[in-house]
Amino acid sequence: MPQDEFSLINDYFANRSACRSDVAIGIGDDGAVVKPLPEHDLVVVTDTLVEGVHFDKTTPPRAIGHKAVAVNLSDLAAMGAQPSWISLALTCPNTDNDWLAEFSSGLDEICRYYDCQLIGGDTTKGPLTVTVTAHGQLPTGTAISRSGAKPGDWVYVSGSLGDAGLGLKVTQNKVSTTGRHLQHVIERLHYPTPRVAMGQVLRGVATSCIDVSDGLVADLGHLLKQAQVSAQIELEKLPLSLALTETLEANEALAMALTAGDDYELCFTLPEEHRGRMETLTSHLKTKPVCIGRIVKGAEAKIDMHYEGEPWELPEGYKSFNHFATGERVREGE
């Protein structure tokens, strides 16, 4: 049992994750010293996971470690950056050896996979909260922002939407699904895949990009607002998994895909002249982006949705996640 924060750090986090040659001083000093690549910009992102909001007491600690890193790498991917380093601020109510071992293993596995080194952070006692700051690099001036969409650009998403939302409903016992789909949706909820490779090939091709963390309607809305444009979406083109379409009614499946958070797919825009280049650049990726609509004029950031040519609106009760408007995300009473 670790007796203090220093032994906790040494036992579970020091000398874990990838070991990069560009880290001069890592864990164990007052600060980390890293060596960014020449003629590159540094992209810095931060995300926090809080028990009772982003996960509940039943969530495996390995999944929490994975997801805490994945959500940050997804933000880096949305800007086209290559992950390099992370720092971790961990607040936990006690030093539970089993929990810490599993949590640090989940964090270690994803860091090694993406060659991203843990270089420092902080530990303290309190309600379970995990904050990760991730640093990525990209050639100077190539970052993809949210603000570049123009009328005529095509709207794409990088993969299927709504699966994590369905997984959440399943864990809350609000929806049941068959055994062949159960593992898929739980994996999508607990172990999201940041689209790091896709984000990098979109540099110089996409005009704007955002990761889908709070639902497509909300996150596409952020792009539209930044660029002062609107969009038309063809719902029959949304990439939906069999798990979603075989579990929910058609309208419910569409609503879930449009509003559920935690998918961590990319939503991006690009002009007609870059469509062929994008398809070539992403041809080697296992998951291919799907075109779902087009950017149109309209500074009101409106999203017009159609299904097979007919206007379509969200069913009552569906809305995207908002920390301060919708309350808790996870099980009631947790």
Side-chain angles (χ1 to χ4, degrees):
M1 175 73 70
Q3 299 299 311
D4 54 41
E5 64 175 301
F6 303 106
S7 55
L8 184 154
I9 292 168
N10 287 331
D11 289 347
Y12 296 105
F13 300 107
N15 302 315
R16 300 292 296 268
S17 76
C19 293
R20 296 173 56 97
S21 60
D22 53 14
V23 177
I25 299 175
I27 294 174
D29 221 301
D30 285 326
V33 178
V34 296
K35 297 174 283 186
L37 292 168
E39 298 183 4
H40 276 63
D41 290 334
L42 193 63
V43 181
V44 183
V45 300
T46 300
D47 259 297
T48 296
L49 302 183
V50 180
E51 185 179 67
V53 177
H54 303 95
F55 60 90
D56 64 20
K57 295 181 184 299
T58 70
T59 305
R62 183 180 293 263
I64 299 171
H66 172 99
K67 196 168 187 176
V69 178
V71 300
N72 282 274
L73 300 194
S74 183
D75 283 333
L76 292 180
M79 301 197 75
Q82 170 66 47
S84 299
W85 318 289
I86 68 166
S87 57
L88 167 70
L90 175 63
T91 301
C92 48
N94 54 61
T95 51
D96 182 325
N97 280 353
D98 293 337
W99 191 95
L100 286 166
E102 285 295 300
F103 170 83
S104 60
S105 292
L107 185 144
D108 174 50
E109 288 164 1
I110 187 170
C111 283
R112 288 182 184 276
Y113 185 85
Y114 290 101
D115 189 28
C116 187
Q117 184 172 342
L118 176 64
I119 57 173
D122 190 29
T123 58
T124 188
K125 184 175 181 179
L128 184 55
T129 306
V130 184
T131 298
V132 169
T133 295
H135 305 73
Q137 302 178 79
L138 41 67
T140 300
T142 64
I144 311 169
S145 73
R146 297 181 178 183
S147 61
K150 300 290 190 297
D153 285 356
W154 296 97
V155 180
Y156 282 79
V157 291
S158 63
S160 62
L161 301 172
D163 292 341
L166 180 58
L168 178 60
K169 295 291 187 184
V170 169
T171 64
Q172 294 173 331
N173 296 316
K174 294 180 179 178
V175 174
S176 62
T177 188
T178 60
R180 62 187 291 236
H181 297 320
L182 180 61
Q183 182 177 359
H184 171 77
V185 297
I186 297 300
E187 288 283 321
R188 288 276 284 167
L189 174 65
H190 288 330
Y191 297 94
T193 301
R195 303 301 183 187
V196 170
M198 187 176 295
Q200 291 175 66
V201 302
L202 292 176
R203 293 195 303 247
V205 178
T207 52
S208 67
C209 189
I210 191 171
D211 74 327
V212 183
S213 56
D214 293 329
L216 179 64
V217 168
D219 292 316
L220 174 57
H222 295 320
L223 289 187
L224 302 179
K225 186 175 181 180
Q226 291 273 11
Q228 296 187 322
V229 292
S230 292
Q232 294 176 345
I233 302 300
E234 300 174 52
L235 298 182
E236 68 273 14
K237 295 183 177 180
L238 284 180
L240 308 180
S241 69
L242 284 176
L244 193 68
T245 59
E246 292 185 357
T247 302
L248 301 177
E249 296 293 331
N251 274 355
E252 288 183 307
L254 288 173
M256 183 72 73
L258 290 166
T259 61
D262 288 333
D263 286 314
Y264 297 101
E265 297 292 347
L266 300 181
C267 176
F268 62 92
T269 61
L270 75 163
E272 173 66 30
E273 61 265 28
H274 287 169
R275 293 186 79 182
R277 183 181 174 197
M278 183 275 296
E279 290 172 3
T280 299
L281 290 170
T282 59
S283 62
H284 68 288
L285 300 177
K286 182 178 179 180
T287 301
K288 306 296 190 296
V290 176
C291 183
I292 61 169
R294 204 160 195 179
I295 298 297
V296 296
K297 292 181 180 179
E300 68 273 18
K302 183 180 179 182
I303 302 176
D304 286 323
M305 294 181 283
H306 292 81
Y307 186 83
E308 295 183 346
E310 296 295 325
W312 190 93
E313 294 185 0
L314 282 170
E316 187 175 350
Y318 280 90
K319 54 186 175 179
S320 297
F321 180 76
N322 182 307
H323 281 277
F324 297 102
T326 59
E328 293 189 351
R329 187 180 219 143
V330 301
R331 297 173 187 249
E332 294 181 5
E334 289 290 348

